[in-house]
Structure formats: structure tokens, C-alpha cells
Amino acid sequence: MRIDVLTLFPEACRPYFETSILGRAVRGGLVSIHCHALRDYSRDRHGRVDDRPFGGGAGMVLMCPPIFEAVEAIESQDSRPATRVLLTPQGRRFDQNLASELAKRPRLLLICGRYEGFDERIRLGLAPLELSIGDYVLSGGEAAAMVVVDAVVRLRPGVLGAEEALAEESFADGGLEYPQYTRPRDFRGMTVPEVLLSGNHEDIRRWRAEQARRRTSQSRPDLLDGRSATRDETTKGNSHAESTD
Ligand code: 9D3
């Protein structure tokens, strides 16, 4: 898989793609990621890629020529067709299902905005998939592009180990994770639940399943859609405090 990111700040994106699981996938040749500076496609000597909006108003708008020329130049670097993705606050909400869909594509081209937005003809002419990562205001699309790339690359075959991939699937199934503990057994008076030290794997499995259900019902009831929460869990209020017994 090849991923291209078109941005005003390629230097902000690159280090993320070199780190941890993503970096390992890139070094292992499972994915190639290229960050491109939109300014390189500016037509004037000042490197301008934005201009004032027709009709007036605050802020600046990313203009068509640099974006179209960049998209054409980048797409011609590889024969596989690119799925074009425009990152904007008004896009479709990115989620795990969409990550799975994008992970099947041979090529992605992510376009990050800054300023007040894109000239509308970028949407008309490039017909990109328009994505948002959630209802909060970012300063630009770069952080969102990193989120999308991260979520997609993890789903490519070979990127995660077998055990990690299995755990991943159980999240895709819907719930949150059960509480986990490691040494020491007693940290400042907070102890590890006895069942985890019991060696009884059937008891441990049941305890974890129950804890995961409780947590999901408490903090993300929306994920349980259909499966019902108990009355007790829904009326307790979410303190996020967990007893250690
Ligand atoms: C009037 C100006 N803004 C309204 C609040 C519009 C605006 C334009 C551009 C607000 C933020 C941005 C920059 N954000 C993104 O480019 C962005 C984003 C986001 O802000 N939240 C969630 N997902 C995304 S994807 C790209």
C-alpha cells in the first residue's frame, strides 16, 4: 500500500510515520508513506497557496491551482489508482469500519487543509472522500491525517503480530477492554484482584468478560447498541472508580 499526504507542514507529519508500529511497517516495506509540501506546488515566488475569499469575509481559502497540480503530479508517481481523501471538519465521521474499508485500497492520497477551508471547486473537481475525525476544532488536517494513517496501516496484513491482531478484532466486535494489572501486586495499598492470581483460567476469562461489559456499559453505552445494560450499571453514574476486589 502507498499513502501520500499533501500538507503545508510535511515536517510535522514525517516523525509520526517513522515511530513505533507505523515506522516498523514502513521500514518493513509493508506500506510506503510520502509527505508532500503543498507550497512546492505554488505558482508564485512567495509560495502562496491561499487567497482571500470572493465575496469577502474573514480568513483565507486554499486555492485550486496548487492543489490540483499537486494531486496530478503525486498521482502520476505510481500507476495504482489513489483514493482521494480530503480532511475537513464537515466531512463524514471517520470510524473503525471506514478504516477497514480504506485498508483494502492500494493507494490513499490524503489532503490536509489549513485556514478557513478549501475552494469549493476542489471538492467538485477532485471528488474526494471527505472525512472528519470528530466534533472538535483542530488547527488543520495534519493531526487528522496522522489518525487516519495510523488506524488504516494497523489493519494491513503483517503490520501487527498474530496476538495483537486477535486483540484488535475483539475491539472491532464492539466493547472496551477489561482492567489489566502487572507487577507489583500491591502498589501503595492498591492490590491486584485475587482472581487474576488464582491460576484458574476459566474464572479469569469470566471475570474479564464481565468487567469489559461493565466498563463499556458505564463509559460507552453507545457501543453496546442492542445488547442491554443492566439497570444497576446504567443508574450508578460514572465515577470511573473501580474496586480492587
Ligand atoms: C469558521 C472557521 N472554522 C469553524 C469552526 C472552520 C474550520 C476550518 C478548518 C475549523 C477548523 C479547521 C481545521 N480543521 C481541519 O482541517 C480538520 C478537522 C477538525 O478540525 N476536526 C475534526 N476533524 C478534522 S479533519 C480536518
Side-chain angles (χ1 to χ4, degrees):
M1 170 183 239
R2 170 173 171 147
I3 301 176
D4 292 279
V5 180
L6 181 59
T7 165
L8 280 156
F9 302 101
E11 70 285 358
C13 299
R14 281 192 193 102
Y16 190 71
F17 301 142
E18 292 166 3
T19 303
S20 187
I21 293 173
L22 230 46
R24 193 179 66 197
V26 169
R27 289 188 297 274
L30 297 171
V31 59
S32 61
I33 306 178
H34 306 268
C35 301
H36 307 269
L38 181 57
R39 267 187 222 299
D40 290 351
Y41 297 89
S42 165
R43 285 180 152 181
D44 66 33
R45 57 199 159 82
H46 303 108
R48 253 196 290 270
V49 295
D50 60 328
D51 210 336
R52 295 155 65 197
F54 281 121
M60 301 291 273
V61 175
L62 283 168
M63 54 190 182
C64 288
I67 299 223
F68 277 72
E69 281 165 30
V71 166
E72 285 155 10
I74 293 162
E75 287 186 349
S76 76
Q77 290 174 13
D78 189 299
S79 61
R80 292 170 288 181
T83 298
R84 298 168 177 168
V85 175
L86 196 67
L87 296 153
T88 73
Q90 57 270 22
R92 167 177 168 192
R93 172 78 64 89
F94 181 68
D95 63 12
Q96 191 68 23
N97 288 327
L98 194 43
S100 305
E101 286 310 306
L102 294 181
K104 295 173 189 162
R105 313 283 172 102
R107 246 193 116 177
L108 303 177
L109 169 49
L110 276 54
I111 306 167
C112 305
R114 285 267 155 173
Y115 316 116
E116 291 313 302
F118 296 92
D119 185 308
E120 188 62 20
R121 292 165 294 186
I122 290 164
R123 293 186 176 86
L124 287 170
L126 299 179
L129 191 58
E130 208 173 323
L131 300 186
S132 158
I133 60 164
D135 293 339
Y136 34 79
V137 181
L138 302 173
S139 307
E142 287 75 16
M146 292 184 237
V147 165
V148 170
V149 170
D150 191 332
V152 166
V153 171
R154 299 170 60 72
L155 295 171
R156 296 290 294 183
V159 170
L160 299 182
E163 204 177 319
E164 292 171 304
L166 205 71
E168 200 88 349
E169 273 175 48
S170 71
F171 181 80
D173 274 359
L176 299 184
E177 296 193 356
Y178 49 77
Q180 303 203 80
Y181 298 84
T182 187
R183 295 190 304 164
R185 285 172 62 153
D186 184 329
F187 179 69
R188 301 185 180 178
M190 296 180 283
T191 54
V192 175
E194 275 307 322
V195 61
L196 298 179
L197 310 170
S198 69
N200 184 330
H201 297 292
E202 182 50 27
D203 282 359
I204 292 171
R205 192 199 56 74
R206 253 183 292 132
W207 182 85
R208 284 177 166 166
E210 169 57 18
Q211 291 289 317
R213 230 181 345 263
R214 253 165 79 168
R215 272 194 168 181
T216 308
S217 166
Q218 284 274 295
S219 9
R220 292 294 309 277
D222 56 300
L223 293 178
L224 287 172
D225 66 345
R227 282 169 278 180
S228 70
T230 68
R231 193 188 158 279
D232 183 38
E233 285 161 344
T234 50
T235 53
K236 246 187 301 197
N238 192 353
S239 67
H240 277 286
E242 271 155 357
S243 69
T244 49
D245 64 348

